[in-house]
Amino acid sequence: MAARAGLAWRGAFHPLPEDGVPPLPDGTAVGTLALLGFVPSLGLVPNLGWDAFAASAEARDGQPAPLDRWSQRVIGALAAAVDGVALYPFGGPPWLAFQRWAMRAEPVFASPLGILLHPDWGLWHSYRGALALRGRLPLPDRAPVASPCESCVTQPCLSACPVGAFAPGRYDVPRCAAFAETADCASHGCQSRRACPVGAAHAYSVAQASFHMSPFLAAHR
């Protein structure tokens, strides 16, 4: 169902109290939380998620937040079909703990840039929402996977930015935004993100990269 809607299944987990998953409308705890999002390919169809959104009415109607509105429509319909509740990483504050949830659902790791890194897709993936389900679904055991960052000696992501916007534990947003206005970051995406060798073949197209950079730059002008 998720793939037909243009979304990838991004894993699931049984929430614990410390995960911060909000209860269902009747006050009962969520039994299973399933994450949905975009990945570079689904089976033999490349970049299905982005292509599905780009062909949607929301992408062409000229109204604000087209991707968030598309996500709400599509994931909301999926939630209704499985008697679940849709949750989203946008619309706050308060903000839901999607990064924590993602690391519980599948093998992704915090990168030096703060973006979650997938062992195969690198930094080129995203989470668009989650389905909060009442039942405690059977889930496969996860095999242990090491973070690729642990064996990355040079960490080019931290040195690729010409203005040094990134450092361990720090991201200088104003410096990043000011530089990106006049660099190819605006059309091709963050240079530090593109410097990561993991999943480099899956880097966003110019259309997708510029779409995501546009609201970031507009918010910091």
Side-chain angles (χ1 to χ4, degrees), residues 87-171:
L87 302 174
Y88 304 100
F90 49 84
W95 308 101
L96 297 176
F98 263 80
Q99 285 200 323
R100 173 197 289 268
W101 298 351
M103 288 187 281
R104 292 270 280 121
E106 62 176 342
V108 291
F109 308 91
S111 72
L113 301 183
I115 307 170
L116 291 182
L117 181 131
H118 189 279
D120 298 321
W121 303 318
L123 303 175
W124 309 105
H125 63 102
S126 65
Y127 299 91
R128 297 308 315 161
L131 300 176
L133 307 173
R134 187 176 303 275
R136 188 177 173 87
L137 304 183
L139 300 175
D141 293 332
R142 275 176 51 182
V145 178
S147 169
C149 296
E150 294 178 2
S151 58
C152 185
V153 177
T154 59
Q155 292 193 324
C157 61
L158 291 178
S159 59
C161 178
V163 294
F166 294 99
R170 177 186 64 79
Y171 172 34

Side-chain angles (χ1 to χ4, degrees), residues 2-219:
R4 287 196 299 271
L7 290 162
W9 172 269
R10 303 298 311 269
F13 66 97
H14 301 133
L16 300 172
E18 58 265 32
D19 290 319
V21 177
L24 295 169
D26 63 3
T28 60
V30 172
T32 305
L33 192 74
L35 272 65
L36 302 169
F38 287 174
V39 298
S41 63
L42 288 176
L44 299 178
V45 183
N47 214 17
L48 178 61
W50 171 255
D51 290 345
F53 161 69
S56 70
E58 289 88 351
R60 302 190 302 270
D61 65 14
Q63 299 302 308
L67 182 54
D68 290 351
R69 291 187 290 112
W70 179 85
S71 301
Q72 287 176 314
R73 175 173 62 82
V74 172
I75 298 176
L78 288 173
V82 296
D83 192 27
V85 174
L87 302 174
Y88 304 100
F90 49 84
W95 308 101
L96 297 176
F98 263 80
Q99 285 200 323
R100 173 197 289 268
W101 298 351
M103 288 187 281
R104 292 270 280 121
E106 62 176 342
V108 291
F109 308 91
S111 72
L113 301 183
I115 307 170
L116 291 182
L117 181 131
H118 189 279
D120 298 321
W121 303 318
L123 303 175
W124 309 105
H125 63 102
S126 65
Y127 299 91
R128 297 308 315 161
L131 300 176
L133 307 173
R134 187 176 303 275
R136 188 177 173 87
L137 304 183
L139 300 175
D141 293 332
R142 275 176 51 182
V145 178
S147 169
C149 296
E150 294 178 2
S151 58
C152 185
V153 177
T154 59
Q155 292 193 324
C157 61
L158 291 178
S159 59
C161 178
V163 294
F166 294 99
R170 177 186 64 79
Y171 172 34
D172 191 327
V173 179
R175 179 177 292 186
C176 167
F179 174 75
E181 285 277 13
T182 60
D184 75 342
C185 305
S187 58
H188 289 73
C190 170
Q191 293 186 30
S192 289
R193 190 175 187 178
R194 285 184 276 147
C196 176
V198 182
H202 301 304
Y204 289 161
S205 66
V206 171
Q208 188 171 1
S210 59
F211 172 87
H212 290 299
M213 288 297 293
S214 179
F216 167 73
L217 296 175

